[in-house]
PDB file of all heavy atoms in Angstrom:
ATOM      1  N   ARG A 274     -54.628 -16.754  27.222  1.00 92.00           N
ATOM      2  CA  ARG A 274     -55.308 -17.584  26.213  1.00 92.00           C
ATOM      3  C   ARG A 274     -54.438 -17.770  24.982  1.00 92.00           C
ATOM      4  O   ARG A 274     -53.417 -17.084  24.813  1.00 92.00           O
ATOM      5  CB  ARG A 274     -56.632 -16.945  25.814  1.00 92.00           C
ATOM      6  CG  ARG A 274     -56.485 -15.556  25.180  1.00 92.00           C
ATOM      7  CD  ARG A 274     -57.816 -15.052  24.657  1.00 92.00           C
ATOM      8  NE  ARG A 274     -57.773 -13.696  24.139  1.00 92.00           N
ATOM      9  CZ  ARG A 274     -57.349 -13.358  22.927  1.00 92.00           C
ATOM     10  NH1 ARG A 274     -56.902 -14.298  22.091  1.00 92.00           N
ATOM     11  NH2 ARG A 274     -57.360 -12.089  22.529  1.00 92.00           N
ATOM     12  N   ASP A 275     -54.870 -18.680  24.124  1.00 92.00           N
ATOM     13  CA  ASP A 275     -54.217 -18.879  22.838  1.00 92.00           C
ATOM     14  C   ASP A 275     -54.800 -17.902  21.812  1.00 92.00           C
ATOM     15  O   ASP A 275     -55.849 -17.280  22.042  1.00 92.00           O
ATOM     16  CB  ASP A 275     -54.441 -20.312  22.330  1.00 92.00           C
ATOM     17  CG  ASP A 275     -53.751 -21.350  23.200  1.00 92.00           C
ATOM     18  OD1 ASP A 275     -52.859 -20.972  23.981  1.00 92.00           O
ATOM     19  OD2 ASP A 275     -54.118 -22.537  23.091  1.00 92.00           O
ATOM     20  N   ILE A 276     -54.102 -17.754  20.678  1.00 88.00           N
ATOM     21  CA  ILE A 276     -54.670 -17.006  19.548  1.00 88.00           C
ATOM     22  C   ILE A 276     -55.953 -17.708  19.130  1.00 88.00           C
ATOM     23  O   ILE A 276     -55.997 -18.941  18.996  1.00 88.00           O
ATOM     24  CB  ILE A 276     -53.674 -16.950  18.380  1.00 88.00           C
ATOM     25  CG1 ILE A 276     -52.400 -16.214  18.811  1.00 88.00           C
ATOM     26  CG2 ILE A 276     -54.305 -16.268  17.168  1.00 88.00           C
ATOM     27  CD1 ILE A 276     -51.310 -16.216  17.765  1.00 88.00           C
ATOM     28  N   ARG A 277     -57.021 -16.949  18.948  1.00 83.00           N
ATOM     29  CA  ARG A 277     -58.352 -17.544  18.791  1.00 83.00           C
ATOM     30  C   ARG A 277     -58.451 -18.518  17.615  1.00 83.00           C
ATOM     31  O   ARG A 277     -59.142 -19.526  17.711  1.00 83.00           O
ATOM     32  CB  ARG A 277     -59.402 -16.444  18.659  1.00 83.00           C
ATOM     33  CG  ARG A 277     -59.482 -15.552  19.899  1.00 83.00           C
ATOM     34  CD  ARG A 277     -60.738 -14.714  19.921  1.00 83.00           C
ATOM     35  NE  ARG A 277     -60.694 -13.707  20.982  1.00 83.00           N
ATOM     36  CZ  ARG A 277     -60.941 -13.937  22.258  1.00 83.00           C
ATOM     37  NH1 ARG A 277     -61.228 -15.163  22.639  1.00 83.00           N
ATOM     38  NH2 ARG A 277     -60.879 -12.968  23.151  1.00 83.00           N
ATOM     39  N   ASP A 278     -57.792 -18.220  16.513  1.00 80.00           N
ATOM     40  CA  ASP A 278     -57.882 -19.135  15.374  1.00 80.00           C
ATOM     41  C   ASP A 278     -56.618 -19.979  15.203  1.00 80.00           C
ATOM     42  O   ASP A 278     -56.402 -20.574  14.145  1.00 80.00           O
ATOM     43  CB  ASP A 278     -58.187 -18.367  14.085  1.00 80.00           C
ATOM     44  CG  ASP A 278     -57.232 -17.216  13.831  1.00 80.00           C
ATOM     45  OD1 ASP A 278     -56.414 -16.919  14.733  1.00 80.00           O
ATOM     46  OD2 ASP A 278     -57.294 -16.619  12.738  1.00 80.00           O
ATOM     47  N   HIS A 279     -55.763 -20.020  16.266  1.00 84.00           N
ATOM     48  CA  HIS A 279     -54.556 -20.850  16.249  1.00 84.00           C
ATOM     49  C   HIS A 279     -54.406 -21.564  17.595  1.00 84.00           C
ATOM     50  O   HIS A 279     -53.567 -21.182  18.411  1.00 84.00           O
ATOM     51  CB  HIS A 279     -53.302 -20.012  15.961  1.00 84.00           C
ATOM     52  CG  HIS A 279     -53.224 -19.501  14.554  1.00 84.00           C
ATOM     53  ND1 HIS A 279     -53.920 -18.391  14.129  1.00 84.00           N
ATOM     54  CD2 HIS A 279     -52.531 -19.951  13.477  1.00 84.00           C
ATOM     55  CE1 HIS A 279     -53.650 -18.164  12.848  1.00 84.00           C
ATOM     56  NE2 HIS A 279     -52.815 -19.104  12.428  1.00 84.00           N
ATOM     57  N   PRO A 280     -55.218 -22.553  17.853  1.00 89.00           N
ATOM     58  CA  PRO A 280     -55.134 -23.267  19.137  1.00 89.00           C
ATOM     59  C   PRO A 280     -53.722 -23.814  19.379  1.00 89.00           C
ATOM     60  O   PRO A 280     -53.084 -24.333  18.454  1.00 89.00           O
ATOM     61  CB  PRO A 280     -56.142 -24.412  18.973  1.00 89.00           C
ATOM     62  CG  PRO A 280     -57.088 -23.939  17.910  1.00 89.00           C
ATOM     63  CD  PRO A 280     -56.262 -23.108  16.974  1.00 89.00           C
ATOM     64  N   GLY A 281     -53.252 -23.674  20.611  1.00 85.00           N
ATOM     65  CA  GLY A 281     -51.917 -24.141  20.956  1.00 85.00           C
ATOM     66  C   GLY A 281     -50.841 -23.090  20.815  1.00 85.00           C
ATOM     67  O   GLY A 281     -49.705 -23.304  21.248  1.00 85.00           O
ATOM     68  N   VAL A 282     -51.180 -21.942  20.227  1.00 89.00           N
ATOM     69  CA  VAL A 282     -50.220 -20.842  20.069  1.00 89.00           C
ATOM     70  C   VAL A 282     -50.651 -19.700  20.984  1.00 89.00           C
ATOM     71  O   VAL A 282     -51.748 -19.156  20.834  1.00 89.00           O
ATOM     72  CB  VAL A 282     -50.143 -20.353  18.612  1.00 89.00           C
ATOM     73  CG1 VAL A 282     -49.139 -19.206  18.491  1.00 89.00           C
ATOM     74  CG2 VAL A 282     -49.788 -21.486  17.674  1.00 89.00           C
ATOM     75  N   ARG A 283     -49.814 -19.362  21.942  1.00 92.00           N
ATOM     76  CA  ARG A 283     -50.159 -18.337  22.904  1.00 92.00           C
ATOM     77  C   ARG A 283     -50.358 -16.973  22.248  1.00 92.00           C
ATOM     78  O   ARG A 283     -49.563 -16.552  21.401  1.00 92.00           O
ATOM     79  CB  ARG A 283     -49.070 -18.213  23.973  1.00 92.00           C
ATOM     80  CG  ARG A 283     -49.151 -19.237  25.088  1.00 92.00           C
ATOM     81  CD  ARG A 283     -50.399 -19.074  25.912  1.00 92.00           C
ATOM     82  NE  ARG A 283     -50.352 -19.870  27.133  1.00 92.00           N
ATOM     83  CZ  ARG A 283     -51.430 -20.256  27.789  1.00 92.00           C
ATOM     84  NH1 ARG A 283     -52.628 -19.929  27.338  1.00 92.00           N
ATOM     85  NH2 ARG A 283     -51.320 -20.962  28.896  1.00 92.00           N
ATOM     86  N   SER A 284     -51.405 -16.295  22.650  1.00 96.00           N
ATOM     87  CA  SER A 284     -51.651 -14.932  22.197  1.00 96.00           C
ATOM     88  C   SER A 284     -50.674 -13.972  22.865  1.00 96.00           C
ATOM     89  O   SER A 284     -50.188 -14.216  23.974  1.00 96.00           O
ATOM     90  CB  SER A 284     -53.088 -14.530  22.564  1.00 96.00           C
ATOM     91  OG  SER A 284     -53.284 -13.136  22.432  1.00 96.00           O
ATOM     92  N   SER A 285     -50.404 -12.862  22.198  1.00 96.00           N
ATOM     93  CA  SER A 285     -49.580 -11.813  22.808  1.00 96.00           C
ATOM     94  C   SER A 285     -50.288 -11.185  24.003  1.00 96.00           C
ATOM     95  O   SER A 285     -49.653 -10.563  24.846  1.00 96.00           O
ATOM     96  CB  SER A 285     -49.232 -10.737  21.769  1.00 96.00           C
ATOM     97  OG  SER A 285     -50.415 -10.222  21.191  1.00 96.00           O
ATOM     98  N   HIS A 286     -51.606 -11.379  24.105  1.00 96.00           N
ATOM     99  CA  HIS A 286     -52.329 -10.909  25.291  1.00 96.00           C
ATOM    100  C   HIS A 286     -51.904 -11.687  26.533  1.00 96.00           C
ATOM    101  O   HIS A 286     -52.002 -11.168  27.646  1.00 96.00           O
ATOM    102  CB  HIS A 286     -53.836 -11.067  25.076  1.00 96.00           C
ATOM    103  CG  HIS A 286     -54.430 -10.081  24.128  1.00 96.00           C
ATOM    104  ND1 HIS A 286     -54.638  -8.760  24.463  1.00 96.00           N
ATOM    105  CD2 HIS A 286     -54.857 -10.216  22.845  1.00 96.00           C
ATOM    106  CE1 HIS A 286     -55.182  -8.125  23.432  1.00 96.00           C
ATOM    107  NE2 HIS A 286     -55.321  -8.980  22.435  1.00 96.00           N
ATOM    108  N   ALA A 287     -51.438 -12.908  26.351  1.00 95.00           N
ATOM    109  CA  ALA A 287     -51.043 -13.740  27.487  1.00 95.00           C
ATOM    110  C   ALA A 287     -49.789 -13.222  28.178  1.00 95.00           C
ATOM    111  O   ALA A 287     -49.504 -13.607  29.316  1.00 95.00           O
ATOM    112  CB  ALA A 287     -50.826 -15.183  27.029  1.00 95.00           C
ATOM    113  N   SER A 288     -49.043 -12.338  27.506  1.00 95.00           N
ATOM    114  CA  SER A 288     -47.853 -11.722  28.107  1.00 95.00           C
ATOM    115  C   SER A 288     -48.037 -10.215  28.286  1.00 95.00           C
ATOM    116  O   SER A 288     -47.068  -9.493  28.525  1.00 95.00           O
ATOM    117  CB  SER A 288     -46.620 -12.000  27.243  1.00 95.00           C
ATOM    118  OG  SER A 288     -46.829 -11.589  25.906  1.00 95.00           O
ATOM    119  N   ALA A 289     -49.289  -9.737  28.170  1.00 96.00           N
ATOM    120  CA  ALA A 289     -49.605  -8.303  28.295  1.00 96.00           C
ATOM    121  C   ALA A 289     -48.833  -7.461  27.294  1.00 96.00           C
ATOM    122  O   ALA A 289     -48.478  -6.316  27.570  1.00 96.00           O
ATOM    123  CB  ALA A 289     -49.365  -7.802  29.723  1.00 96.00           C
ATOM    124  N   ASP A 290     -48.592  -8.028  26.113  1.00 97.00           N
ATOM    125  CA  ASP A 290     -47.879  -7.319  25.047  1.00 97.00           C
ATOM    126  C   ASP A 290     -48.831  -6.744  24.001  1.00 97.00           C
ATOM    127  O   ASP A 290     -48.376  -6.229  22.974  1.00 97.00           O
ATOM    128  CB  ASP A 290     -46.888  -8.257  24.353  1.00 97.00           C
ATOM    129  CG  ASP A 290     -45.557  -8.338  25.080  1.00 97.00           C
ATOM    130  OD1 ASP A 290     -45.062  -7.298  25.527  1.00 97.00           O
ATOM    131  OD2 ASP A 290     -45.020  -9.455  25.205  1.00 97.00           O
TER     132      ASP A 290
END
Side-chain angles (χ1 to χ4, degrees):
R274 61 173 175 81
D275 293 343
I276 298 175
R277 298 195 190 280
D278 52 352
H279 290 80
V282 180
R283 278 295 191 203
S284 166
S285 56
H286 287 286
S288 54
D290 275 318

